[in-house]
Amino acid sequence: MGSTSYRLQVLDITALPQLLELDRRCYGGYWGEQGYRAELERPTSTVVGVVAEPVAVAASCSLGRTEFSPPSPDLAPPTQTTQALVGFGILWRIEEEAHIISLAVDPGHRRQGLGRRILEALLDQARAAGCRWATLEVRASNYPAIRLYESAGFQRLGRRKGYYNGEDALVYWKKPI
């Protein structure tokens, strides 16, 4: 039997094909190649990914446990992504503000804490870059994401009518990060 180990890393341009595939599975192909290419190349953006790596597990080990490697809080540096990309987050740094513009986890890998790990990694990157607060928008109907952001200390600041192709967005803020 086997389990899956997950590793966080900063993504570079070699991850573009996997980002596009994950976007298709999570968002229905919302962004497109030029959008992701711009984020991967923009010096004020950080794209963090979670890659899945199969791990052999001995029969005596507890099965079904999600393992993260390495256990270090530091992200692996940008490297060629050869494992399966199962989640990502994108952060813009604007002066002292961190703006989280996207966070997605493959439907087959949800409810394992990966979204929280991505969010924490993005906030760690923002703090390291000198950001003092963070903002984001989320679909008003995306209750799992809303619970994640609120549990991480984000507070609802407002609403943007029709922001997501007719659906309202809730605007969240966290200060300090």
Side-chain angles (χ1 to χ4, degrees):
M1 302 220 74
S3 70
T4 303
S5 175
Y6 296 96
R7 181 171 40 88
L8 283 164
Q9 68 182 54
V10 175
L11 300 179
D12 64 16
I13 198 67
T14 63
L16 184 58
Q18 288 194 57
L19 276 170
L20 291 169
E21 176 57 26
L22 190 53
D23 176 275
R24 187 191 62 72
R25 290 193 310 271
C26 295
Y27 297 140
Y30 184 74
W31 269 37
E33 182 175 342
Q34 288 186 313
Y36 285 109
R37 181 178 298 279
E39 296 309 324
L40 290 164
E41 294 175 346
R42 182 176 290 124
T44 56
S45 290
T46 300
V47 183
V48 171
V50 174
V51 294
E53 302 169 311
V55 174
V57 177
S60 63
C61 293
S62 69
L63 300 176
R65 197 173 106 214
T66 301
E67 305 218 2
F68 293 94
S69 65
S72 162
D74 297 329
L75 293 173
T79 59
Q80 186 167 355
T81 304
T82 55
Q83 297 81 19
L85 184 67
V86 298
F88 70 90
I90 303 173
L91 171 77
W92 286 349
R93 295 174 314 281
I94 308 162
E95 302 291 329
E96 294 182 332
E97 178 184 337
H99 186 69
I100 297 169
I101 63 166
S102 187
L103 195 155
V105 175
D106 183 88
H109 293 267
R110 291 181 181 160
R111 304 204 46 83
Q112 298 183 57
L114 300 178
R116 178 168 302 282
R117 289 286 306 260
I118 294 167
L119 179 61
E120 290 171 355
L122 292 172
L123 294 175
D124 286 346
Q125 292 284 304
R127 274 189 290 276
C131 295
R132 298 181 48 182
W133 63 87
T135 62
L136 57 86
E137 291 91 11
V138 60
R139 285 182 185 274
S141 65
N142 191 343
Y143 302 114
I146 291 168
R147 282 191 300 274
L148 169 64
Y149 300 138
E150 289 179 353
S151 73
F154 281 83
Q155 296 178 352
R156 186 170 155 189
L157 186 63
R159 177 181 291 261
R160 291 193 173 151
K161 298 280 187 195
Y163 186 76
Y164 290 108
N165 295 326
E167 183 178 351
D168 290 358
L170 302 178
V171 179
Y172 277 83
W173 161 279
K174 179 177 173 80
K175 183 176 183 179
I177 56 172

